[in-house]
Structure formats: C-alpha cells, structure tokens
PDB file of all heavy atoms in Angstrom:
ATOM      1  N   ARG A 600    -165.250 -71.382  47.204  1.00 44.00           N
ATOM      2  CA  ARG A 600    -165.240 -70.209  46.323  1.00 44.00           C
ATOM      3  C   ARG A 600    -164.780 -68.961  47.078  1.00 44.00           C
ATOM      4  O   ARG A 600    -163.992 -68.154  46.582  1.00 44.00           O
ATOM      5  CB  ARG A 600    -166.638 -69.979  45.755  1.00 44.00           C
ATOM      6  CG  ARG A 600    -166.725 -68.834  44.744  1.00 44.00           C
ATOM      7  CD  ARG A 600    -168.091 -68.819  44.077  1.00 44.00           C
ATOM      8  NE  ARG A 600    -168.155 -67.750  43.097  1.00 44.00           N
ATOM      9  CZ  ARG A 600    -168.500 -66.498  43.372  1.00 44.00           C
ATOM     10  NH1 ARG A 600    -168.807 -66.179  44.614  1.00 44.00           N
ATOM     11  NH2 ARG A 600    -168.546 -65.588  42.418  1.00 44.00           N
ATOM     12  N   ARG A 601    -165.299 -68.806  48.330  1.00 45.00           N
ATOM     13  CA  ARG A 601    -164.877 -67.662  49.151  1.00 45.00           C
ATOM     14  C   ARG A 601    -163.373 -67.705  49.433  1.00 45.00           C
ATOM     15  O   ARG A 601    -162.685 -66.693  49.401  1.00 45.00           O
ATOM     16  CB  ARG A 601    -165.652 -67.655  50.468  1.00 45.00           C
ATOM     17  CG  ARG A 601    -167.116 -67.242  50.302  1.00 45.00           C
ATOM     18  CD  ARG A 601    -167.831 -67.376  51.607  1.00 45.00           C
ATOM     19  NE  ARG A 601    -169.229 -66.988  51.475  1.00 45.00           N
ATOM     20  CZ  ARG A 601    -170.154 -67.257  52.382  1.00 45.00           C
ATOM     21  NH1 ARG A 601    -169.829 -67.928  53.479  1.00 45.00           N
ATOM     22  NH2 ARG A 601    -171.408 -66.870  52.191  1.00 45.00           N
ATOM     23  N   GLN A 602    -162.904 -68.901  49.732  1.00 48.00           N
ATOM     24  CA  GLN A 602    -161.476 -69.052  50.027  1.00 48.00           C
ATOM     25  C   GLN A 602    -160.639 -68.705  48.802  1.00 48.00           C
ATOM     26  O   GLN A 602    -159.590 -68.068  48.885  1.00 48.00           O
ATOM     27  CB  GLN A 602    -161.178 -70.493  50.497  1.00 48.00           C
ATOM     28  CG  GLN A 602    -159.716 -70.700  50.911  1.00 48.00           C
ATOM     29  CD  GLN A 602    -159.330 -69.801  52.081  1.00 48.00           C
ATOM     30  OE1 GLN A 602    -160.134 -69.593  53.006  1.00 48.00           O
ATOM     31  NE2 GLN A 602    -158.127 -69.245  52.028  1.00 48.00           N
ATOM     32  N   PHE A 603    -161.150 -69.127  47.620  1.00 40.00           N
ATOM     33  CA  PHE A 603    -160.437 -68.846  46.378  1.00 40.00           C
ATOM     34  C   PHE A 603    -160.347 -67.338  46.132  1.00 40.00           C
ATOM     35  O   PHE A 603    -159.295 -66.792  45.809  1.00 40.00           O
ATOM     36  CB  PHE A 603    -161.158 -69.534  45.207  1.00 40.00           C
ATOM     37  CG  PHE A 603    -160.615 -69.150  43.854  1.00 40.00           C
ATOM     38  CD1 PHE A 603    -159.424 -69.681  43.393  1.00 40.00           C
ATOM     39  CD2 PHE A 603    -161.307 -68.241  43.047  1.00 40.00           C
ATOM     40  CE1 PHE A 603    -158.936 -69.320  42.150  1.00 40.00           C
ATOM     41  CE2 PHE A 603    -160.809 -67.875  41.815  1.00 40.00           C
ATOM     42  CZ  PHE A 603    -159.626 -68.417  41.354  1.00 40.00           C
ATOM     43  N   LEU A 604    -161.510 -66.642  46.309  1.00 41.00           N
ATOM     44  CA  LEU A 604    -161.533 -65.204  46.094  1.00 41.00           C
ATOM     45  C   LEU A 604    -160.636 -64.465  47.083  1.00 41.00           C
ATOM     46  O   LEU A 604    -159.950 -63.504  46.757  1.00 41.00           O
ATOM     47  CB  LEU A 604    -162.967 -64.680  46.196  1.00 41.00           C
ATOM     48  CG  LEU A 604    -163.914 -65.127  45.065  1.00 41.00           C
ATOM     49  CD1 LEU A 604    -165.334 -64.676  45.379  1.00 41.00           C
ATOM     50  CD2 LEU A 604    -163.459 -64.566  43.731  1.00 41.00           C
ATOM     51  N   LYS A 605    -160.654 -64.948  48.334  1.00 44.00           N
ATOM     52  CA  LYS A 605    -159.805 -64.334  49.372  1.00 44.00           C
ATOM     53  C   LYS A 605    -158.331 -64.487  49.021  1.00 44.00           C
ATOM     54  O   LYS A 605    -157.530 -63.558  49.125  1.00 44.00           O
ATOM     55  CB  LYS A 605    -160.111 -64.980  50.726  1.00 44.00           C
ATOM     56  CG  LYS A 605    -159.285 -64.391  51.860  1.00 44.00           C
ATOM     57  CD  LYS A 605    -159.669 -65.048  53.174  1.00 44.00           C
ATOM     58  CE  LYS A 605    -158.850 -64.491  54.331  1.00 44.00           C
ATOM     59  NZ  LYS A 605    -159.195 -65.138  55.610  1.00 44.00           N
ATOM     60  N   THR A 606    -158.010 -65.701  48.567  1.00 43.00           N
ATOM     61  CA  THR A 606    -156.613 -65.970  48.208  1.00 43.00           C
ATOM     62  C   THR A 606    -156.182 -65.100  47.038  1.00 43.00           C
ATOM     63  O   THR A 606    -155.098 -64.522  47.022  1.00 43.00           O
ATOM     64  CB  THR A 606    -156.436 -67.453  47.845  1.00 43.00           C
ATOM     65  OG1 THR A 606    -156.811 -68.238  48.964  1.00 43.00           O
ATOM     66  CG2 THR A 606    -154.987 -67.748  47.469  1.00 43.00           C
ATOM     67  N   MET A 607    -157.086 -64.986  46.032  1.00 39.00           N
ATOM     68  CA  MET A 607    -156.774 -64.167  44.874  1.00 39.00           C
ATOM     69  C   MET A 607    -156.623 -62.695  45.248  1.00 39.00           C
ATOM     70  O   MET A 607    -155.763 -61.983  44.743  1.00 39.00           O
ATOM     71  CB  MET A 607    -157.877 -64.323  43.827  1.00 39.00           C
ATOM     72  CG  MET A 607    -157.875 -65.695  43.130  1.00 39.00           C
ATOM     73  SD  MET A 607    -156.337 -66.014  42.243  1.00 39.00           S
ATOM     74  CE  MET A 607    -156.477 -64.812  40.945  1.00 39.00           C
ATOM     75  N   GLY A 608    -157.456 -62.222  46.189  1.00 44.00           N
ATOM     76  CA  GLY A 608    -157.377 -60.836  46.633  1.00 44.00           C
ATOM     77  C   GLY A 608    -156.057 -60.545  47.317  1.00 44.00           C
ATOM     78  O   GLY A 608    -155.416 -59.523  47.084  1.00 44.00           O
ATOM     79  N   VAL A 609    -155.632 -61.455  48.179  1.00 39.00           N
ATOM     80  CA  VAL A 609    -154.349 -61.287  48.870  1.00 39.00           C
ATOM     81  C   VAL A 609    -153.211 -61.298  47.869  1.00 39.00           C
ATOM     82  O   VAL A 609    -152.282 -60.494  47.935  1.00 39.00           O
ATOM     83  CB  VAL A 609    -154.163 -62.404  49.925  1.00 39.00           C
ATOM     84  CG1 VAL A 609    -152.736 -62.383  50.461  1.00 39.00           C
ATOM     85  CG2 VAL A 609    -155.171 -62.240  51.047  1.00 39.00           C
ATOM     86  N   ALA A 610    -153.286 -62.213  46.907  1.00 41.00           N
ATOM     87  CA  ALA A 610    -152.235 -62.297  45.896  1.00 41.00           C
ATOM     88  C   ALA A 610    -152.159 -61.024  45.075  1.00 41.00           C
ATOM     89  O   ALA A 610    -151.078 -60.519  44.769  1.00 41.00           O
ATOM     90  CB  ALA A 610    -152.484 -63.499  44.986  1.00 41.00           C
ATOM     91  N   ALA A 611    -153.364 -60.506  44.717  1.00 39.00           N
ATOM     92  CA  ALA A 611    -153.381 -59.267  43.929  1.00 39.00           C
ATOM     93  C   ALA A 611    -152.798 -58.112  44.711  1.00 39.00           C
ATOM     94  O   ALA A 611    -152.025 -57.301  44.187  1.00 39.00           O
ATOM     95  CB  ALA A 611    -154.816 -58.947  43.513  1.00 39.00           C
ATOM     96  N   ALA A 612    -153.175 -58.036  45.998  1.00 39.00           N
ATOM     97  CA  ALA A 612    -152.634 -56.967  46.845  1.00 39.00           C
ATOM     98  C   ALA A 612    -151.129 -57.093  46.978  1.00 39.00           C
ATOM     99  O   ALA A 612    -150.387 -56.112  46.913  1.00 39.00           O
ATOM    100  CB  ALA A 612    -153.297 -57.006  48.221  1.00 39.00           C
ATOM    101  N   ALA A 613    -150.683 -58.329  47.197  1.00 38.00           N
ATOM    102  CA  ALA A 613    -149.239 -58.569  47.323  1.00 38.00           C
ATOM    103  C   ALA A 613    -148.515 -58.184  46.051  1.00 38.00           C
ATOM    104  O   ALA A 613    -147.432 -57.608  46.073  1.00 38.00           O
ATOM    105  CB  ALA A 613    -148.971 -60.038  47.656  1.00 38.00           C
ATOM    106  N   SER A 614    -149.154 -58.502  44.898  1.00 37.00           N
ATOM    107  CA  SER A 614    -148.545 -58.148  43.622  1.00 37.00           C
ATOM    108  C   SER A 614    -148.436 -56.642  43.465  1.00 37.00           C
ATOM    109  O   SER A 614    -147.423 -56.118  43.017  1.00 37.00           O
ATOM    110  CB  SER A 614    -149.375 -58.746  42.482  1.00 37.00           C
ATOM    111  OG  SER A 614    -148.867 -58.332  41.233  1.00 37.00           O
ATOM    112  N   TRP A 615    -149.501 -55.895  43.868  1.00 35.00           N
ATOM    113  CA  TRP A 615    -149.480 -54.437  43.769  1.00 35.00           C
ATOM    114  C   TRP A 615    -148.385 -53.841  44.644  1.00 35.00           C
ATOM    115  O   TRP A 615    -147.623 -52.990  44.238  1.00 35.00           O
ATOM    116  CB  TRP A 615    -150.837 -53.884  44.181  1.00 35.00           C
ATOM    117  CG  TRP A 615    -150.872 -52.381  44.085  1.00 35.00           C
ATOM    118  CD1 TRP A 615    -151.173 -51.629  43.009  1.00 35.00           C
ATOM    119  CD2 TRP A 615    -150.551 -51.455  45.131  1.00 35.00           C
ATOM    120  NE1 TRP A 615    -151.080 -50.298  43.290  1.00 35.00           N
ATOM    121  CE2 TRP A 615    -150.693 -50.157  44.592  1.00 35.00           C
ATOM    122  CE3 TRP A 615    -150.158 -51.596  46.463  1.00 35.00           C
ATOM    123  CZ2 TRP A 615    -150.454 -49.019  45.334  1.00 35.00           C
ATOM    124  CZ3 TRP A 615    -149.922 -50.452  47.210  1.00 35.00           C
ATOM    125  CH2 TRP A 615    -150.068 -49.186  46.643  1.00 35.00           C
ATOM    126  N   VAL A 616    -148.315 -54.354  45.903  1.00 34.00           N
ATOM    127  CA  VAL A 616    -147.292 -53.854  46.818  1.00 34.00           C
ATOM    128  C   VAL A 616    -145.911 -54.134  46.267  1.00 34.00           C
ATOM    129  O   VAL A 616    -145.018 -53.278  46.267  1.00 34.00           O
ATOM    130  CB  VAL A 616    -147.448 -54.487  48.222  1.00 34.00           C
ATOM    131  CG1 VAL A 616    -146.259 -54.131  49.088  1.00 34.00           C
ATOM    132  CG2 VAL A 616    -148.747 -54.005  48.864  1.00 34.00           C
ATOM    133  N   SER A 617    -145.740 -55.373  45.763  1.00 34.00           N
ATOM    134  CA  SER A 617    -144.432 -55.732  45.221  1.00 34.00           C
ATOM    135  C   SER A 617    -144.067 -54.844  44.048  1.00 34.00           C
ATOM    136  O   SER A 617    -142.941 -54.371  43.931  1.00 34.00           O
ATOM    137  CB  SER A 617    -144.440 -57.201  44.785  1.00 34.00           C
ATOM    138  OG  SER A 617    -143.225 -57.542  44.178  1.00 34.00           O
ATOM    139  N   THR A 618    -145.056 -54.600  43.166  1.00 32.00           N
ATOM    140  CA  THR A 618    -144.791 -53.759  42.005  1.00 32.00           C
ATOM    141  C   THR A 618    -144.480 -52.327  42.430  1.00 32.00           C
ATOM    142  O   THR A 618    -143.547 -51.695  41.940  1.00 32.00           O
ATOM    143  CB  THR A 618    -145.997 -53.766  41.062  1.00 32.00           C
ATOM    144  OG1 THR A 618    -146.265 -55.110  40.675  1.00 32.00           O
ATOM    145  CG2 THR A 618    -145.712 -52.921  39.813  1.00 32.00           C
ATOM    146  N   ALA A 619    -145.271 -51.821  43.379  1.00 32.00           N
ATOM    147  CA  ALA A 619    -145.063 -50.447  43.843  1.00 32.00           C
ATOM    148  C   ALA A 619    -143.698 -50.283  44.481  1.00 32.00           C
ATOM    149  O   ALA A 619    -142.957 -49.357  44.177  1.00 32.00           O
ATOM    150  CB  ALA A 619    -146.175 -50.067  44.832  1.00 32.00           C
ATOM    151  N   TRP A 620    -143.352 -51.212  45.384  1.00 28.00           N
ATOM    152  CA  TRP A 620    -142.051 -51.122  46.030  1.00 28.00           C
ATOM    153  C   TRP A 620    -140.940 -51.376  45.026  1.00 28.00           C
ATOM    154  O   TRP A 620    -139.853 -50.825  45.131  1.00 28.00           O
ATOM    155  CB  TRP A 620    -141.958 -52.120  47.185  1.00 28.00           C
ATOM    156  CG  TRP A 620    -142.648 -51.624  48.408  1.00 28.00           C
ATOM    157  CD1 TRP A 620    -143.908 -51.923  48.826  1.00 28.00           C
ATOM    158  CD2 TRP A 620    -142.139 -50.691  49.357  1.00 28.00           C
ATOM    159  NE1 TRP A 620    -144.210 -51.246  49.970  1.00 28.00           N
ATOM    160  CE2 TRP A 620    -143.140 -50.485  50.332  1.00 28.00           C
ATOM    161  CE3 TRP A 620    -140.935 -50.006  49.481  1.00 28.00           C
ATOM    162  CZ2 TRP A 620    -142.970 -49.634  51.400  1.00 28.00           C
ATOM    163  CZ3 TRP A 620    -140.758 -49.162  50.551  1.00 28.00           C
ATOM    164  CH2 TRP A 620    -141.781 -48.977  51.505  1.00 28.00           C
ATOM    165  N   GLY A 621    -141.229 -52.242  44.052  1.00 33.00           N
ATOM    166  CA  GLY A 621    -140.226 -52.514  43.040  1.00 33.00           C
ATOM    167  C   GLY A 621    -139.876 -51.296  42.211  1.00 33.00           C
ATOM    168  O   GLY A 621    -138.781 -51.172  41.708  1.00 33.00           O
ATOM    169  N   ARG A 622    -140.813 -50.369  42.095  1.00 29.00           N
ATOM    170  CA  ARG A 622    -140.541 -49.168  41.326  1.00 29.00           C
ATOM    171  C   ARG A 622    -139.711 -48.162  42.112  1.00 29.00           C
ATOM    172  O   ARG A 622    -139.095 -47.280  41.547  1.00 29.00           O
ATOM    173  CB  ARG A 622    -141.864 -48.488  40.931  1.00 29.00           C
ATOM    174  CG  ARG A 622    -142.669 -49.236  39.879  1.00 29.00           C
ATOM    175  CD  ARG A 622    -143.746 -48.317  39.306  1.00 29.00           C
ATOM    176  NE  ARG A 622    -144.631 -49.040  38.418  1.00 29.00           N
ATOM    177  CZ  ARG A 622    -145.875 -49.391  38.728  1.00 29.00           C
ATOM    178  NH1 ARG A 622    -146.355 -49.079  39.911  1.00 29.00           N
ATOM    179  NH2 ARG A 622    -146.626 -50.043  37.867  1.00 29.00           N
ATOM    180  N   MET A 623    -139.741 -48.280  43.424  1.00 30.00           N
ATOM    181  CA  MET A 623    -139.107 -47.241  44.239  1.00 30.00           C
ATOM    182  C   MET A 623    -137.623 -47.053  43.944  1.00 30.00           C
ATOM    183  O   MET A 623    -137.171 -45.929  43.784  1.00 30.00           O
ATOM    184  CB  MET A 623    -139.342 -47.511  45.723  1.00 30.00           C
ATOM    185  CG  MET A 623    -140.780 -47.249  46.136  1.00 30.00           C
ATOM    186  SD  MET A 623    -141.017 -47.406  47.891  1.00 30.00           S
ATOM    187  CE  MET A 623    -140.121 -45.991  48.484  1.00 30.00           C
ATOM    188  N   PRO A 624    -136.835 -48.147  43.835  1.00 32.00           N
ATOM    189  CA  PRO A 624    -135.437 -47.919  43.494  1.00 32.00           C
ATOM    190  C   PRO A 624    -135.276 -47.215  42.150  1.00 32.00           C
ATOM    191  O   PRO A 624    -134.405 -46.382  41.975  1.00 32.00           O
ATOM    192  CB  PRO A 624    -134.854 -49.346  43.463  1.00 32.00           C
ATOM    193  CG  PRO A 624    -135.764 -50.139  44.349  1.00 32.00           C
ATOM    194  CD  PRO A 624    -137.124 -49.551  44.120  1.00 32.00           C
ATOM    195  N   ALA A 625    -136.154 -47.560  41.192  1.00 30.00           N
ATOM    196  CA  ALA A 625    -136.063 -46.911  39.889  1.00 30.00           C
ATOM    197  C   ALA A 625    -136.321 -45.411  40.008  1.00 30.00           C
ATOM    198  O   ALA A 625    -135.661 -44.601  39.379  1.00 30.00           O
ATOM    199  CB  ALA A 625    -137.060 -47.549  38.917  1.00 30.00           C
ATOM    200  N   ILE A 626    -137.316 -45.040  40.844  1.00 31.00           N
ATOM    201  CA  ILE A 626    -137.603 -43.625  41.059  1.00 31.00           C
ATOM    202  C   ILE A 626    -136.401 -42.936  41.700  1.00 31.00           C
ATOM    203  O   ILE A 626    -135.983 -41.865  41.299  1.00 31.00           O
ATOM    204  CB  ILE A 626    -138.862 -43.461  41.937  1.00 31.00           C
ATOM    205  CG1 ILE A 626    -140.098 -43.953  41.167  1.00 31.00           C
ATOM    206  CG2 ILE A 626    -139.045 -42.016  42.356  1.00 31.00           C
ATOM    207  CD1 ILE A 626    -141.344 -44.056  42.015  1.00 31.00           C
ATOM    208  N   THR A 627    -135.836 -43.604  42.705  1.00 31.00           N
ATOM    209  CA  THR A 627    -134.663 -43.050  43.368  1.00 31.00           C
ATOM    210  C   THR A 627    -133.520 -42.883  42.388  1.00 31.00           C
ATOM    211  O   THR A 627    -132.856 -41.855  42.344  1.00 31.00           O
ATOM    212  CB  THR A 627    -134.228 -43.973  44.526  1.00 31.00           C
ATOM    213  OG1 THR A 627    -135.303 -44.089  45.450  1.00 31.00           O
ATOM    214  CG2 THR A 627    -133.005 -43.403  45.230  1.00 31.00           C
ATOM    215  N   GLN A 628    -133.301 -43.924  41.571  1.00 36.00           N
ATOM    216  CA  GLN A 628    -132.233 -43.847  40.597  1.00 36.00           C
ATOM    217  C   GLN A 628    -132.477 -42.709  39.609  1.00 36.00           C
ATOM    218  O   GLN A 628    -131.572 -41.987  39.250  1.00 36.00           O
ATOM    219  CB  GLN A 628    -132.133 -45.191  39.831  1.00 36.00           C
ATOM    220  CG  GLN A 628    -131.689 -46.362  40.687  1.00 36.00           C
ATOM    221  CD  GLN A 628    -130.242 -46.228  41.108  1.00 36.00           C
ATOM    222  OE1 GLN A 628    -129.502 -45.409  40.583  1.00 36.00           O
ATOM    223  NE2 GLN A 628    -129.827 -47.017  42.072  1.00 36.00           N
ATOM    224  N   LYS A 629    -133.734 -42.564  39.189  1.00 39.00           N
ATOM    225  CA  LYS A 629    -134.048 -41.516  38.220  1.00 39.00           C
ATOM    226  C   LYS A 629    -133.744 -40.142  38.796  1.00 39.00           C
ATOM    227  O   LYS A 629    -133.244 -39.262  38.105  1.00 39.00           O
ATOM    228  CB  LYS A 629    -135.514 -41.616  37.806  1.00 39.00           C
ATOM    229  CG  LYS A 629    -135.909 -40.644  36.690  1.00 39.00           C
ATOM    230  CD  LYS A 629    -137.336 -40.872  36.274  1.00 39.00           C
ATOM    231  CE  LYS A 629    -137.722 -39.923  35.143  1.00 39.00           C
ATOM    232  NZ  LYS A 629    -139.124 -40.124  34.737  1.00 39.00           N
ATOM    233  N   ARG A 630    -134.020 -39.954  40.061  1.00 48.00           N
ATOM    234  CA  ARG A 630    -133.765 -38.658  40.694  1.00 48.00           C
ATOM    235  C   ARG A 630    -132.273 -38.374  40.778  1.00 48.00           C
ATOM    236  O   ARG A 630    -131.862 -37.230  40.819  1.00 48.00           O
ATOM    237  CB  ARG A 630    -134.377 -38.632  42.082  1.00 48.00           C
ATOM    238  CG  ARG A 630    -135.892 -38.528  42.073  1.00 48.00           C
ATOM    239  CD  ARG A 630    -136.424 -38.458  43.478  1.00 48.00           C
ATOM    240  NE  ARG A 630    -135.949 -37.265  44.166  1.00 48.00           N
ATOM    241  CZ  ARG A 630    -136.125 -37.053  45.458  1.00 48.00           C
ATOM    242  NH1 ARG A 630    -136.770 -37.936  46.197  1.00 48.00           N
ATOM    243  NH2 ARG A 630    -135.682 -35.946  46.019  1.00 48.00           N
ATOM    244  N   SER A 631    -131.440 -39.420  40.827  1.00 69.00           N
ATOM    245  CA  SER A 631    -130.009 -39.216  40.983  1.00 69.00           C
ATOM    246  C   SER A 631    -129.271 -39.233  39.651  1.00 69.00           C
ATOM    247  O   SER A 631    -128.064 -39.103  39.624  1.00 69.00           O
ATOM    248  CB  SER A 631    -129.432 -40.291  41.906  1.00 69.00           C
ATOM    249  OG  SER A 631    -129.548 -41.572  41.306  1.00 69.00           O
ATOM    250  N   ARG A 632    -129.981 -39.420  38.548  1.00 86.00           N
ATOM    251  CA  ARG A 632    -129.345 -39.448  37.247  1.00 86.00           C
ATOM    252  C   ARG A 632    -130.029 -38.445  36.322  1.00 86.00           C
ATOM    253  O   ARG A 632    -131.261 -38.448  36.222  1.00 86.00           O
ATOM    254  CB  ARG A 632    -129.458 -40.849  36.627  1.00 86.00           C
ATOM    255  CG  ARG A 632    -128.755 -41.942  37.377  1.00 86.00           C
ATOM    256  CD  ARG A 632    -129.021 -43.256  36.660  1.00 86.00           C
ATOM    257  NE  ARG A 632    -128.441 -44.376  37.391  1.00 86.00           N
ATOM    258  CZ  ARG A 632    -128.648 -45.651  37.055  1.00 86.00           C
ATOM    259  NH1 ARG A 632    -129.426 -45.950  36.031  1.00 86.00           N
ATOM    260  NH2 ARG A 632    -128.097 -46.625  37.758  1.00 86.00           N
ATOM    261  N   PRO A 633    -129.264 -37.645  35.636  1.00 97.00           N
ATOM    262  CA  PRO A 633    -127.828 -37.469  35.796  1.00 97.00           C
ATOM    263  C   PRO A 633    -127.487 -36.602  37.006  1.00 97.00           C
ATOM    264  O   PRO A 633    -128.361 -35.951  37.575  1.00 97.00           O
ATOM    265  CB  PRO A 633    -127.419 -36.786  34.495  1.00 97.00           C
ATOM    266  CG  PRO A 633    -128.639 -36.032  34.078  1.00 97.00           C
ATOM    267  CD  PRO A 633    -129.809 -36.866  34.509  1.00 97.00           C
ATOM    268  N   LEU A 634    -126.215 -36.574  37.347  1.00 98.00           N
ATOM    269  CA  LEU A 634    -125.730 -35.832  38.501  1.00 98.00           C
ATOM    270  C   LEU A 634    -124.263 -35.494  38.278  1.00 98.00           C
ATOM    271  O   LEU A 634    -123.500 -36.332  37.792  1.00 98.00           O
ATOM    272  CB  LEU A 634    -125.891 -36.671  39.765  1.00 98.00           C
ATOM    273  CG  LEU A 634    -125.178 -36.216  41.041  1.00 98.00           C
ATOM    274  CD1 LEU A 634    -125.797 -34.924  41.555  1.00 98.00           C
ATOM    275  CD2 LEU A 634    -125.253 -37.296  42.112  1.00 98.00           C
ATOM    276  N   VAL A 635    -123.868 -34.285  38.643  1.00 98.00           N
ATOM    277  CA  VAL A 635    -122.462 -33.909  38.581  1.00 98.00           C
ATOM    278  C   VAL A 635    -122.099 -33.143  39.847  1.00 98.00           C
ATOM    279  O   VAL A 635    -122.868 -32.311  40.326  1.00 98.00           O
ATOM    280  CB  VAL A 635    -122.142 -33.087  37.311  1.00 98.00           C
ATOM    281  CG1 VAL A 635    -122.981 -31.821  37.232  1.00 98.00           C
ATOM    282  CG2 VAL A 635    -120.659 -32.759  37.240  1.00 98.00           C
ATOM    283  N   ILE A 636    -120.937 -33.445  40.394  1.00 98.00           N
ATOM    284  CA  ILE A 636    -120.421 -32.745  41.562  1.00 98.00           C
ATOM    285  C   ILE A 636    -118.974 -32.359  41.295  1.00 98.00           C
ATOM    286  O   ILE A 636    -118.257 -33.044  40.566  1.00 98.00           O
ATOM    287  CB  ILE A 636    -120.512 -33.606  42.851  1.00 98.00           C
ATOM    288  CG1 ILE A 636    -119.825 -34.967  42.659  1.00 98.00           C
ATOM    289  CG2 ILE A 636    -121.957 -33.788  43.267  1.00 98.00           C
ATOM    290  CD1 ILE A 636    -119.791 -35.834  43.906  1.00 98.00           C
ATOM    291  N   SER A 637    -118.547 -31.242  41.885  1.00 98.00           N
ATOM    292  CA  SER A 637    -117.173 -30.798  41.676  1.00 98.00           C
ATOM    293  C   SER A 637    -116.712 -29.943  42.846  1.00 98.00           C
ATOM    294  O   SER A 637    -117.515 -29.360  43.566  1.00 98.00           O
ATOM    295  CB  SER A 637    -117.047 -30.013  40.366  1.00 98.00           C
ATOM    296  OG  SER A 637    -117.959 -28.948  40.332  1.00 98.00           O
ATOM    297  N   THR A 638    -115.408 -29.880  43.011  1.00 97.00           N
ATOM    298  CA  THR A 638    -114.834 -29.219  44.182  1.00 97.00           C
ATOM    299  C   THR A 638    -114.778 -27.700  44.018  1.00 97.00           C
ATOM    300  O   THR A 638    -114.556 -27.176  42.946  1.00 97.00           O
ATOM    301  CB  THR A 638    -113.402 -29.735  44.438  1.00 97.00           C
ATOM    302  OG1 THR A 638    -112.598 -29.520  43.260  1.00 97.00           O
ATOM    303  CG2 THR A 638    -113.414 -31.218  44.757  1.00 97.00           C
TER     304      THR A 638
END
C-alpha cells in the first residue's frame, strides 16, 4: 500500500510538472502574439 501511494504521488507530481512546463510555450506564444515590427 505504501509503495502504491508513493508511486501515485510521484506520478501526480510528474503530471503537475509536465502540465506546468507544457503551458510555458503557450504563455510565451501568448506574449508574442500579436506583434508588429517595422523599419
């Protein structure tokens, strides 16, 4: 049971990290859109 809970905790943490990092490109993209540059 302890091993199961430990495994689930690691998986949940990994899922949170993955989700958080997965959002980062979207945040970056949002900051760069829209954008206009000219000479």
